[in-house]
Amino acid sequence: MMRRADNYLLVPGDEKNLDVDVANTEARSSQSIPMKDLSVDDVSTLYPQVGPYFSDGHRRVDYVLAYHIQKSVNIRRRSSRFSDNNFIQGLRRSLSMRSSRAPLQPKEDPEIAAQEQRTNYHEDDKRFRREEFEENLLETGLELERDERCKIPGIGFLKIHAPWNVLCQEAELMKLKMPTKKVYDVKQGSNVVEKIRLFIHKVTAPLHPKVDANRQDSIKSLSHPFSREKQHLFDLSDRDKFFDSKTRSSIVYEVLKRTRCTRAKYSMGITSLLANGVYSSAYPLHDGDITEANAESNDRKLLYEEWASYSVFYKYQPIGLIRKYFGEKVGLYFAWLGVYTQMLIPAAIVGVIVFLYGCATVDDNIPSMEICDSRNNITMCPLCDRACSYWKLVTACGTARASHLFDNPATVFFSIFMALWAVLFMEHWKRRQMRLNYIWDLTGLGEEEKEEHKDHNRAEYEFRVMQKTMRLEHSTPKGEKVKLTCTDRLPAYLTTVMMMCFLILVTFAIVFGVILYRISIKAALHVSTYPTARSNIRATVKTTAAIINLIIIIILDEIYAAIARFLTNLEVPKTDKSFEERLIFKTFILKFVNAFTPIVYLAFFRGRLVGRPGNYLYVVGSYRMEECAHAGCLMELCIQLCITMLGKQLIQNNLFEIGIPKLKKLLRKRKSELDCKEEEELSKTLQRHEKDHLLGPFNSLNPEYMEMIIQFGMVTLFVASFPLAPLFALLNNIIEIRLDAKKFIMELRRPIAARAKDIGIWYNLLRGLSKVAVIVNAFVISFTSDFIPRLVYQYMYSPDGTMHGFVNHTLSYFNVSDFQPNTDPLQPMHLGYKVEICRYKDYREPPWSSTPYELSKEFWAILAARLAFVIVFQNVVMLMSDFVDWLIPDIPKDISLQIHKEKILMVELFMKEEQVKRLAARDHHYQDNCTLPLSVPQSPPQARSRPISHTNCC
């Protein structure tokens, strides 16, 4: 059904008519959509202000919709016609003047014409949808202004302004809490904890950012959900500042989501129109410029100076201003990141102390001294078949000394400390979150948030429902609402489960491939003729394998993130919240397995599945499983953790975040035909909505949270093997905060201010990781390090109660005549003498015993001690964690008192208001009674002389 305002494509005629059509088309494209009292053509020169305002300079632009503009076919044909030479034009005229009996030749390729017609059909369909949607927006009370004369070619903008009545109506529907005229004094707590907190606040005053200098911490406004009937409770003296820019944009976004476009049955609001390409982007505007010297002071510029600058890295974040500008969801992320970084300071200090303790005691460590003592003259069995020969234990001296730096008695203390640290961090964050909920007036937001999001379905879900409705059009009873059931989603669920299992198996296969690389490269280096290649084989193999693992992890992270999004789209979640939670869960599982599978292998499996000399375990034919060094696998685990953690932070987190935006900017400059000066001059003339369109779109906070969650796992899960992990995490986060701040302020469009009272599913993931960390560290100390074997030897087998003789106790004997065929060394005389007995690390019976090479009783004693340690460690730490959790209340006492006080003040305010209303109503009723005698009908003429009796109302 065509509308009166539709543009029809004219039949090709002579050039004069085409020129007229082109002129009409250009005139139509410059028109603005109708508004109540303003159009773009009525731009007044009285308001030359360039900024986030309409053309009148008064009405603020609260939201912007961008769309693609495509020239009509007539314009393209006209341009191609005028580009032809005179010969072709004459030929066309001669062809057109042929006899009517001759068929007319087409002026262009029919296939190209049909393609252009299809393109025009789609573009016209999008334009019709935009017109209908914009008319519906006008009916809601929003004021619109179209700008198609911008300096960005092919892009048109629709600027949206919400007038006062719309803001009030939507604020009431959204139940936004706004400050009332009532203020009260916030009394500080009198207990010891609050006094300590106030003392720390005074001491750290120079570290606080210089924002909100005029705000008094001891005074707070009483907030209440906005109501048009109770407008007198709120301070409306300055209506322009009552709703800030963040609140205005969120209100407009709610209207955009709710406004329907009936041209497409499944379209519901701006989300569907964006998904179908009717609009290319939608975003609120930044407050103003920050780089210009004479730029006006605004929140964005203040955030850039006090938050996004590297010169203020030592200061606290202005969380209140971040929330004011970006909304509660972004504010909570940076508040959580700040608390996490702050809590890393004591963990880093303790980790450095543990590491320094290992450095200080390395010369006093008896096992490493025995390994480094050449007088022991211990000959070890070959590390690989044929290519490797016998070797002296003294050559592992450097590895043994280095292992003591991370494998010493202080490691056990540090593991217990980090388990309690994780609990304290979670409790501290819960209290901080509750304090922010109180300050930001978010208490009681949960139910309102559910009501707010329950009707906003995703565009993909609406599309699938429409398809199902069309399929079941005749079989569905009238009035029954069609929705997607588990049966409809079952193929997607099965695909997701199978795909996730397949990707996890791919990760395991890649780790196994790196294991084969280590085995083969070690054998190749042993047979190498280059002395430099054979000088330090272990270090070369460990380092290169760890770097290969890092590269694979970084590549797979990007692939897994894309696959997780694809699988989540396949499931067609109903709401954005459900989509986000499912995407987070899948991405976390895949990235966690990708990052920690090599580490888990080194910690718990390497060196366990080896076998013994004469009966080794082989994989893929002749590949013999690799062994740990004599000092254990803890050193290799430490190298893997160090390279993975530093590599992910430096390359994936920091270099990618800095390099990719700069690379995109450089590519845009190379594509542009303007030089630097011309581009700089052009950027100065661009309006705010045009500048913001050139920025990158804001997608979500999920990547920011994800990298921090993986880092939290690195810090807590295997901290027993790498006590310097908290220090590296702290240094990274100090840079990360400023990097993210600069990205949000300068490189991304302003996100929609989303309300949230917590960090959502991320808290559950953090809590789960902190629980798993206790078990993992117990197993690392028990099975990966030599802590338990040392204790067992010292208290059960040592003749003098010291560690002397521990190395000899851990080595078993092997008769070289028991080698399997073709597995003995090719160069048996490598050490200069014939070897008959070699040693290997294990607890087995010697070859001269009645049960040669069987597991000895020492093995079973140590295994029992290891299992007992795991059980005791886990239960003790869990008990201590639960005690700390019970000891620290989730809600600070002063906050609970203030919330209770606010409720009392609110009740008093409403009782006072009701009392005033009753008095006013009584006075009004009293006055009405006083005026009643004036309405008494006049007496008959004979009674007029009698005096009228009035009631004394005074």
Side-chain angles (χ1 to χ4, degrees), residues 56-105:
D56 60 357
H58 283 311
R59 287 179 282 186
R60 182 182 179 88
V61 178
D62 298 319
Y63 215 85
V64 171
L65 305 181
Y67 54 92
H68 292 290
I69 304 173
Q70 186 167 352
K71 293 182 180 179
S72 66
V73 178
N74 298 324
I75 296 176
R76 291 198 298 270
R77 288 176 181 172
R78 178 173 178 263
S79 61
S80 63
R81 176 177 286 106
F82 282 105
S83 65
D84 293 338
N85 53 35
N86 293 331
F87 173 76
I88 296 177
Q89 291 182 9
L91 181 61
R92 285 181 176 176
R93 282 196 294 269
S94 64
L95 290 173
S96 63
M97 293 190 319
R98 285 183 178 180
S99 173
S100 60
R101 287 173 296 177
L104 291 175
Q105 299 296 325

Side-chain angles (χ1 to χ4, degrees), residues 787-832:
F787 177 74
I788 299 300
R790 288 172 188 165
L791 284 180
V792 173
Y793 174 78
Q794 185 175 1
Y795 293 104
M796 288 184 64
Y797 299 105
S798 175
D800 55 356
T802 64
M803 293 301 297
H804 290 287
F806 172 73
V807 174
N808 186 60
H809 179 74
T810 59
L811 296 176
S812 298
Y813 295 88
F814 177 74
N815 192 339
V816 297
S817 61
D818 294 333
F819 273 122
Q820 292 181 354
N822 297 323
T823 61
D824 55 321
L826 291 172
Q827 299 176 347
M829 302 293 291
H830 174 71
L831 298 177

Side-chain angles (χ1 to χ4, degrees), residues 309-334:
S309 176
Y310 290 108
S311 60
V312 294
F313 73 93
Y314 60 92
K315 288 188 175 182
Y316 292 111
Q317 301 180 86
I319 297 299
L321 188 59
I322 296 171
R323 174 252 180 180
K324 179 186 175 185
Y325 192 77
F326 291 110
E328 287 79 8
K329 199 167 187 178
V330 176
L332 280 173
Y333 163 71
F334 283 104

Side-chain angles (χ1 to χ4, degrees), residues 764-775:
N764 297 329
L765 293 178
L766 284 169
R767 196 169 184 85
L769 280 178
S770 62
K771 299 291 185 185
V772 173
V774 178
I775 303 172

Side-chain angles (χ1 to χ4, degrees), residues 866-923:
R866 282 174 165 167
L867 294 175
F869 176 83
V870 169
I871 295 172
V872 172
F873 182 89
Q874 176 183 340
N875 285 280
V876 168
V877 175
M878 289 286 189
L879 184 63
M880 294 171 65
S881 302
D882 292 340
F883 176 73
V884 172
D885 190 2
W886 169 81
L887 190 64
I888 303 174
D890 293 344
I891 304 176
K893 188 176 181 180
D894 63 320
I895 297 299
S896 60
L897 292 175
Q898 295 298 333
I899 293 174
H900 182 65
K901 182 179 179 180
E902 278 196 2
K903 291 180 180 179
I904 295 174
L905 289 174
M906 188 63 68
V907 171
E908 291 178 356
L909 182 64
F910 281 116
M911 289 181 65
K912 185 177 180 181
E913 183 191 4
E914 290 296 326
Q915 187 177 2
V916 170
K917 282 183 178 180
R918 285 198 299 270
L919 289 174
R922 189 174 65 184
D923 291 344

Side-chain angles (χ1 to χ4, degrees), residues 607-648:
R608 306 287 186 276
L609 308 173
V610 177
R612 59 169 180 84
N615 188 21
Y616 284 116
L617 177 66
Y618 294 90
V619 292
V620 194
S622 60
Y623 286 97
R624 193 177 105 187
M625 289 298 291
E626 53 187 347
E627 303 177 42
C628 290
H630 179 77
C633 286
L634 208 64
M635 188 63 193
E636 296 186 24
L637 178 60
C638 175
I639 293 174
Q640 180 69 52
L641 265 171
C642 182
I643 292 179
T644 303
M645 187 173 182
L646 291 179
K648 280 179 66 69

Side-chain angles (χ1 to χ4, degrees), residues 521-527 532-543:
I521 202 68
K522 185 187 295 182
L525 290 176
H526 272 290
V527 299
T532 53
R534 301 181 61 180
S535 60
N536 204 347
I537 296 175
R538 281 187 179 274
T540 304
V541 173
K542 292 175 191 174
T543 308

Side-chain angles (χ1 to χ4, degrees), residues 334-344 425 428-429 432:
F334 283 104
W336 174 83
L337 183 56
V339 170
Y340 173 46
T341 305
Q342 187 179 0
M343 288 292 292
L344 280 173
F425 164 60
H428 180 36
W429 167 243
R432 173 67 171 158

